Amino acid sequence: MELKIITGMSGAGKSSALKIFEDLGYYPMDNVPCYLIEKYIELNKLQEKPIEKMAVVVDFRSQTNPIALVEDIKKLKFINEDTQIIFLQASDKKITIRYNELRRPHPFGEFGDVIDGINKENTLLKDIKRLADYLIDTTNYNYSDLKIVIEEIAQHESKFILNISSFGYKYGIPEDANFIFDVRFLPNPYYNSDLRNLNGTNRKLQDYLDSFKLSIEFLDDIIKMLEKTVEGYIKQGKSMLNVSFGCTGGKHRSVYMAEKLSEKLKDKSWIIVKKHRDGDKW
């Protein structure tokens, strides 16, 4: 049986991930103790028409002993060969915002305190995080972004996620980026009256920036660097890299570079998630 174990931080999107897997035809189970999953796997093998795909959320709501939970998850991987662990996380700031928006108490915080709950959960989950086949940071994800990643995980063997984003420096630098490329050195379409109102997804604007050798060479250099970086990340057991391009307003040059890089890498065996952070300001 194909088994996806969803775990990670409260507020990082585990319920959403389970719903996406359910939509993809997986039998969903939430907040299930590992010993019940083990029994379910055994019973499923005896059925005339066994369930072929199952997704389960496993966390400390059903078991608070971190050592025991780690061993139980390892056991599940042992008794069911086709098992993958998907660990969801987000920044402390983003999780706090999500809980405040929903006006919900944190399940592990004293009197529901969110910060206290996040600190406790980070400690509890550190060993489980090391077991993960996929590490997904949802800090800047919406539901559609997470759906892209989950669908790719369900369909492909690739285990590496490359997040490519654009942003405007006037609105702040992204906190979760591994690499930030400042592309304000490229010719600025803002000063071309025919291009000013367009954005970097527009073919006319892209053709304009493509006409500069500097743009093409810079993109080629980034691709070479990323190929080496991703290779190194995979060897170290890492599964995600965040790359951001920044220009003044996050509308022209940074968007152009994010679009071009995504297009160039589409045939790689990586999961590519493209996002224009400040697109709502265009």
Side-chain angles (χ1 to χ4, degrees):
M1 179 174 63
E2 182 183 338
L3 175 63
K4 307 296 186 187
I5 297 176
I6 305 165
T7 188
M9 298 293 294
S10 300
K14 290 177 291 185
S15 296
S16 295
L18 183 64
K19 180 64 172 65
I20 295 167
F21 273 118
E22 182 181 8
D23 291 343
L24 293 172
Y26 288 74
Y27 183 80
M29 300 177 72
D30 190 11
N31 189 22
V32 186
C34 288
Y35 72 86
L36 289 181
I37 301 173
E38 183 180 344
K39 292 296 182 182
Y40 192 93
I41 292 171
E42 294 174 0
L43 292 171
N44 189 56
K45 293 177 180 177
L46 302 176
Q47 303 306 307
E48 183 177 346
K49 293 183 178 181
I51 291 174
E52 298 180 353
K53 301 190 297 182
M54 185 166 73
V56 298
V57 173
V58 174
D59 56 31
F60 291 105
R61 290 175 294 170
S62 59
Q63 186 171 332
T64 56
N65 186 332
I67 297 176
L69 187 55
V70 169
E71 293 305 314
D72 285 346
I73 291 177
K74 287 181 179 178
K75 189 175 181 181
L76 286 176
K77 293 198 75 171
F78 178 76
I79 66 173
N80 189 81
E81 184 177 352
D82 191 4
T83 297
Q84 290 182 325
I85 300 170
I86 301 166
F87 189 101
L88 273 65
Q89 66 179 26
S91 69
D92 293 356
K93 180 179 178 181
K94 177 58 73 171
I95 289 176
T96 301
I97 291 172
R98 288 172 180 169
Y99 269 98
N100 288 340
E101 287 176 345
L102 295 173
R103 299 183 183 276
R104 290 175 51 202
H106 195 285
F108 299 104
E110 186 172 2
F111 303 110
D113 182 76
V114 177
I115 300 300
D116 180 58
I118 290 172
N119 292 336
K120 287 179 180 177
E121 204 169 27
N122 273 322
T123 301
L124 289 170
L125 287 168
K126 62 181 180 180
D127 290 327
I128 293 177
K129 187 175 180 179
R130 297 190 185 103
L131 297 176
D133 296 289
Y134 292 93
L135 178 62
I136 305 175
D137 191 318
T138 66
T139 299
N140 290 315
Y141 278 13
N142 55 30
Y143 186 84
S144 296
D145 299 324
L146 181 59
K147 185 177 180 181
I148 289 172
V149 174
I150 296 299
E151 287 178 342
E152 289 288 338
I153 288 174
Q155 296 174 15
H156 301 293
E157 293 297 322
S158 173
K159 291 187 178 181
F160 197 85
I161 302 167
L162 180 65
N163 294 307
I164 302 173
S165 66
S166 67
F167 71 94
Y169 275 96
K170 65 191 294 184
Y171 305 115
I173 297 175
E175 297 179 356
D176 62 334
N178 300 109
F179 291 108
I180 293 179
F181 296 101
D182 186 343
V183 294
R184 288 176 292 186
F185 66 90
L186 295 177
N188 193 347
Y190 178 83
Y191 296 109
N192 185 316
S193 58
D194 292 333
L195 304 175
R196 180 177 300 170
N197 294 325
L198 305 178
N199 63 68
T201 67
N202 184 275
R203 174 54 60 185
K204 183 177 180 180
L205 188 144
Q206 290 182 1
D207 289 343
Y208 168 76
L209 287 172
D210 280 346
S211 67
F212 296 94
K213 184 179 180 181
L214 181 62
S215 302
I216 305 301
E217 291 180 343
F218 183 64
L219 181 61
D220 289 342
D221 288 342
I222 288 176
I223 291 173
K224 292 176 184 176
M225 185 205 70
L226 287 178
E227 288 174 339
K228 292 183 179 296
T229 301
V230 171
E231 181 182 354
Y233 266 44
I234 292 174
K235 287 180 179 179
Q236 291 183 10
K238 298 180 179 180
S239 59
M240 175 179 275
L241 179 67
N242 300 325
V243 177
S244 294
F245 294 96
C247 64
T248 305
K251 179 179 178 179
H252 299 123
R253 293 165 290 182
S254 61
V255 175
Y256 159 82
M257 288 301 300
E259 290 285 330
K260 284 292 181 175
L261 182 62
S262 300
E263 177 67 22
K264 289 282 188 179
L265 298 179
K266 67 179 182 180
D267 294 328
K268 293 283 186 183
S269 61
W270 310 335
I271 299 172
I272 306 293
V273 180
K274 177 183 64 181
K275 191 176 185 70
H276 301 303
R277 190 195 71 179
D278 300 320
D280 59 339
K281 300 178 177 64
W282 298 347

